Structures are given as structure tokens and as C-alpha cells.
Amino acid sequence: MVSRVIPVEDFDLVIFGGTGDLARRKILTGLFRRFVSGQMPNTARIIGAARSELDDQGYRDFVRTAIGEFGGDEKKDTKALDHFIGQLFYTPIDARGDGGWDRLHELVRQEVVNAYYFSVAPGLFGDIAERLHRYKIADSTSRIVVEKPFGRDLESAQELNSVLAKHFDEKQIYRIDHYLGKETVQNLMAVRFGNVLFEPLWNAQYVDHIQITVAETVGVGGRGGYYDKSGAMRDMVQNHLMQLLCLIAMEPPSKFDSDAVRDEKLKVIRALQPVETHHIVRGQYDAAGGKKSYREDAENPKSFTESFVAMKCHIANWRWANVPFYLRTGKKLKARSSEIAVVFKDLAHSIFPEDEARHRNILSIQLQPNEGMDLQVTIKEPGPGGMRLVDVPLDMTFADALGPESEDVTDAYERLIMDVMRGNQTLFMRGDEVEAAWAWTDPIINNWVEKHDVPKPYEPGSAGPEDAMMLMHRDNRRWRDIKG
Ligand code: BG6
């Protein structure tokens, strides 16, 4: 199956922080892939703006090196690479002063779509937004892209929203949560709302519980300075896990339109009940087998920051009354694996009395590393041994089902940037969603701070602290195995 690539309109994209890590690893390499695929028009231009004193040629060399380092097979297309590099421009910029803004004004073409990617510290959002208007660079048709972390609590998120709102309308603001750009995350909506099969069962009558796991094998080495002030709750739960939870739990929107989808997600966040203290487990990885502990990685020997969180939460509405949602995420776990599992209830009555095993249907949606879905169903074990039942997966690994050419190499970032150019906000967080997510997260974090809560240690390469297992066992349930 060959995927259909529809080119976006001609654009100028300005990347503030254009020499930063995210620009090098994700934004520029991703844009080059979109260029090779034919989605980025060959007249579209990228303008880097950062503190470094580079000229256009210096920036072109910089980007060529970045693509050499982080790009994939597409970089072998040297003709395309040369053309892409020729579409790059640069201006040194002083975000808090006047340097560079006139040159930026000259560079940006007004007649094409223009977008401004704020790949900079949130403290600079206001300065940049204000100057984009003062120097008459941006107008009411421009789009701005902002990165997480969007605040570190409700108050700071509200401040950021109001700083941006002074200069841009909500329709112009694209808040990135890269999990929303992942292929399978969008597939969640396709599966739920494109099939008649699942939606009638998607409620408290048939679902026993839902598990969402985002497990990573990496530690925090290299970014301990940022992470130690955030922890897993701010870094992963408030945004990525919350978004997954919304897509799984939301009511069907009336149409696949940005506000219709985001209205429904917002209702889920607002219906989340406060989490009881004994329904949360925090963990921090220890040292083991010559590998550094979290505290060594974060270079903070007294750190109480969590690198792991597991929790049980409830959504107070008719659809999900009394259905627990178990969320879990952590660093240095046994495998890199992100999965959502919808565990259905036991049969109301079994007609096979000799079968003692408990058979359950489980729909497992794997986000990474291998994108796909499988549905655990019960069948008869083949052979003459009587009516013995066995659980088997109905495997829908996408690459197997759709053929290897269908394996989508589009990274979440490049997909989302193309959505910005198309003016489609469906996969971006709206200001009120972000604030609602913080309003739910803040009391949990504040409670830890007030009580000087100490995270439970766990062994690197494990499934997290023992207490996280107990969170499930107490309810007579089990976590799904973390396997890559
Ligand atoms: C980022 C977090 O938002 O997501 C990181 O800041 C985390 O700590 C990363 O490692 C995980 O993203 P992915 O796409 O690798 O699952």
C-alpha cells in the first residue's frame, strides 16, 4: 500500500531556537523527510533565528551536519538535500532586544503561510510574541508553535496562556504534545469511531479496567537539570499520559474537527476525580550493575524527584462509573514499551463448567516500539481433548496487515508541523485543556511536597517499585507485562 502524500501550501517557517537540540534532532531532520516525500513544497523556506552569530551559509552548513547525524536513508538523496539546504536562511536574533528583527521582517514572505516555532525557554515566549507584532512580522493569519513544558503548574500555565493571548488568538496557537502525532495514537480514534464493533462495549458495563503504560529504558542522564525540577508527573503524566487517557475515554465527538475533539477531551479531564494518596506510587531508580542511580544521573544526591509514577484514577461520568484507569510511566524500566490495554469484564456466565481458567477479552493497543493492536479472544484448543479453552491474540501488527511499505516513517514532529501548515489544530492542545490538566495534577504534586514524600527505590531494568505491583494486586488485578 503506497501512502498518499498531499503537499501543503507554500510556507515560511521561522524557528526560534533554530540551532537548539530539538531543531537539530527533530524539526529540521523531520522537515527534510517531508521535503523528500513531496509534502513540503520545494519553494517553502525555513528561517533559523537564534543567538549564534551565523550567516545563511553558516546555518546551511549547520543543518547539513545535523541531517548527516540524525537523518535516515533519505539523506542519500543528495540532489534533494542540496535543494532543501538552499531553502534555509538565518538571522541572529536578540529575543529581549532589537537585534535581528528588521532582518527577520525582510526575510519572511507575507504572501505565503507563515509559522513561528518557539523552540525556546517559555520565559521568552512573551518577548518574542511582542516583537513579532512590534516589527510587523506576524499578523492575524500567522501561526505559532509552542513546545512543552507548557508551565509547571496551573498558575504558570495560565500566565503563559495570557502572555500569548495578548498577541495571538487561540486559533493561531499550536501547543505541541508529540504523543498526539504518533501514528497509533491517531489510530485510537480510527478504531473507536470507525468501527461498529468496539463502541457499544466501550463503557462501564463491559470494561473491567484500562491500563496505560509508557515505559522507557533510558534514564535522565544528560537532561537531569531539567528533569530533576519536573519528575515523571510533570514530564509525562500531565501531558502525554493525560492525552492518551482522553482519547481512550472521551465521548464520540460529533465530527472529526479540532474543537469538537478537544471539547470532548476537556470533558474527560474535568471529570477526573482527585487521586487518593494511597492510589499513587512514586519511584526513583537505584544504582545497579555498575549503572548510575537517578541521583547520580541528576547530579543531586538528595533528590526526591520521581522517575516513576503509577496510579489508579477514576472518571466521574456515566460511561466510566467505577472503572479504574491505571496509569504507569517510568525511566530505566525493563523495556521500551507503550501500551494501552482495555481489559473487558468476565463472562456473565460460562457454559463450560470444566474450564477453570478465567478468560478475558483484552484489546491491547501498542504505541511503540511496534505499532499495532491485538485482541485477546478465547477459542477451543485444537485437538481431541474435549472442550478446553485457550486465549489467543488476533494480531493486527500494522506492518504485517498492511505490508512493509505501509510502515510509516513519519515522526510525530514532522506530522504535527505539516498539520500546522495545513491549519489543522486537532492534534494540538488547547489552552483550556492544558490548564485543566494542571488543575488536576497540582494537588497531587503539592501533597508530595507538603509531606516531603520520598519516592520508593526500584531496580533499573525492573517493572518499577514493588508497591506499584501491590496497587494492582490489592484490586485482584495484574499489570500487563512490560515487553519491547
Ligand atoms: C518527552 C519527555 O516529552 O517524551 C521525555 O520530556 C521522554 O522525558 C519523551 O523521554 C518520550 O517520548 P517518546 O516519543 O520517546 O516516547
Side-chain angles (χ1 to χ4, degrees):
M1 232 180 71
V2 179
S3 62
R4 284 166 291 161
V5 172
I6 303 167
V8 299
E9 268 181 61
D10 195 8
F11 64 81
D12 276 0
L13 169 68
V14 177
I15 310 174
F16 293 105
T19 53
D21 213 40
L22 184 72
R24 279 185 332 128
R25 284 172 190 272
K26 296 284 184 187
I27 307 175
L28 290 156
T29 38
L31 280 163
F32 177 53
R33 256 197 305 275
R34 292 297 91 212
F35 181 80
V36 171
S37 78
Q39 200 167 18
M40 171 175 158
N42 56 19
T43 45
R45 305 179 331 159
I46 298 159
I47 301 160
R51 266 184 312 205
S52 314
E53 287 295 331
L54 295 174
D55 57 11
D56 290 343
Q57 191 51 49
Y59 193 56
R60 289 173 182 174
D61 295 342
F62 168 87
V63 176
R64 197 183 279 277
T65 311
I67 292 175
E69 198 175 342
F70 300 109
D73 274 355
E74 67 285 346
K75 67 189 176 210
K76 293 185 194 140
D77 187 343
T78 49
K79 206 163 146 228
L81 183 58
D82 288 345
H83 188 119
F84 177 81
I85 296 288
Q87 297 302 108
L88 297 164
F89 300 85
Y90 183 84
T91 177
I93 206 121
D94 180 359
R96 295 214 159 108
D98 295 316
W101 294 95
D102 285 328
R103 157 110 168 119
L104 192 59
H105 181 264
E106 278 163 29
L107 278 172
V108 176
R109 295 173 297 163
Q110 295 304 320
E111 66 283 8
V112 296
V113 169
N114 50 77
Y116 302 91
Y117 200 126
F118 290 21
S119 183
V120 294
L124 293 175
F125 287 3
D127 296 301
I128 294 178
E130 191 266 318
R131 280 166 180 75
L132 280 173
H133 278 88
R134 190 181 341 142
Y135 287 88
K136 301 204 171 10
I137 301 168
D139 63 19
S140 61
T141 63
S142 311
R143 298 160 197 175
I144 61 165
V145 186
V146 292
E147 268 297 324
K148 85 171 249 276
F150 199 85
R152 51 176 285 108
D153 53 18
L154 176 60
E155 200 186 334
S156 52
Q158 283 171 331
E159 266 168 36
L160 283 179
N161 276 336
S162 65
V163 157
L164 294 179
K166 274 192 207 147
H167 306 282
F168 296 96
D169 186 78
E170 183 62 37
K171 290 262 176 268
Q172 299 178 269
I173 306 173
Y174 292 74
R175 292 178 196 78
I176 289 214
D177 181 316
H178 79 279
Y179 266 59
L180 289 176
K182 290 187 190 269
E183 183 67 15
T184 320
V185 173
Q186 293 168 71
N187 237 319
L188 265 178
M189 283 189 276
V191 166
R192 279 195 64 190
F193 306 128
N195 293 286
V196 73
L197 214 60
F198 299 111
E199 203 45 32
L201 306 179
W202 213 262
N203 55 50
Q205 196 182 346
Y206 295 103
V207 174
D208 177 74
H209 73 277
I210 290 180
Q211 300 187 19
I212 302 179
T213 297
V214 178
E216 299 185 90
T217 49
V218 292
V220 301
R223 57 200 286 267
Y226 149 77
Y227 193 93
D228 205 42
K229 292 193 194 76
S230 303
M233 193 70 187
R234 288 192 174 97
D235 185 52
M236 297 293 288
V237 179
Q238 185 272 345
N239 37 75
H240 306 326
L241 274 85
M242 189 73 77
Q243 291 296 323
L244 299 180
L245 174 77
C246 286
L247 295 177
I248 273 285
M250 71 184 185
E251 294 299 316
S254 60
K255 52 186 173 191
F256 190 57
D257 148 289
S258 59
D259 273 332
V261 170
R262 297 187 300 175
D263 286 346
E264 295 307 333
K265 282 163 55 196
L266 179 63
K267 286 186 208 159
V268 174
I269 307 177
R270 291 200 172 142
L272 268 173
Q273 293 188 316
V275 185
E276 298 186 34
T277 318
H278 63 284
H279 288 164
I280 309 192
V281 177
R282 298 169 81 212
Q284 190 188 74
Y285 60 83
D286 252 345
K291 300 218 178 90
K292 287 185 179 167
S293 68
Y294 172 84
R295 289 175 173 196
E296 286 165 300
D297 274 345
E299 295 175 6
N300 179 1
K302 292 200 180 120
S303 174
F304 288 149
T305 301
E306 76 285 353
S307 56
F308 175 98
V309 187
M311 66 170 79
K312 172 162 89 162
C313 36
H314 281 98
I315 298 171
N317 63 18
W318 273 53
R319 184 185 284 266
W320 298 117
N322 299 319
V323 177
F325 285 74
Y326 296 93
L327 315 184
R328 165 176 70 156
T329 183
K331 305 251 180 228
K332 284 266 170 102
L333 296 179
K334 62 196 269 200
R336 176 169 187 252
S337 159
S338 301
E339 185 204 55
I340 301 173
V342 181
V343 182
F344 291 92
K345 286 191 169 161
D346 289 338
L347 291 174
H349 167 73
S350 173
I351 63 166
F352 308 110
E354 63 278 17
D355 186 69
E356 281 163 14
R358 187 192 205 188
H359 299 285
R360 277 192 158 172
N361 296 123
I362 301 175
L363 175 68
S364 141
I365 301 150
Q366 290 111 33
L367 310 181
Q368 51 197 26
N370 304 314
E371 302 182 325
M373 265 185 269
D374 77 55
L375 179 64
Q376 180 176 295
V377 291
T378 304
I379 59 164
K380 176 188 169 298
E381 201 177 301
M387 189 56 131
R388 287 192 318 261
L389 302 184
V390 61
D391 292 331
V392 292
L394 271 182
D395 190 346
M396 295 173 271
T397 306
F398 298 150
D400 295 347
L402 303 174
E405 318 85 81
S406 74
E407 268 189 273
D408 191 86
V409 289
T410 319
D411 179 80
Y413 275 94
E414 53 196 271
R415 182 191 310 277
L416 292 173
I417 296 171
M418 289 300 110
D419 275 359
V420 173
M421 300 313 169
R422 278 190 285 253
N424 184 348
Q425 289 185 304
T426 312
L427 299 176
F428 296 84
M429 294 180 297
R430 213 168 51 190
D432 50 4
E433 259 185 274
V434 179
E435 289 185 13
W438 281 121
W440 179 77
T441 318
D442 276 1
I444 300 173
I445 298 175
N446 293 345
N447 183 48
W448 292 336
V449 175
E450 272 162 33
K451 300 216 166 90
H452 303 287
D453 188 74
V454 182
K456 304 273 183 289
Y458 64 93
E459 227 179 275
S462 70
E466 194 52 36
D467 289 39
M469 303 300 133
M470 292 312 297
L471 183 70
M472 276 282 201
H473 291 179
R474 276 202 303 268
D475 295 346
N476 202 18
R477 298 187 175 103
R478 300 174 72 85
W479 286 108
R480 308 253 307 158
D481 195 15
I482 298 178
K483 42 180 196 250

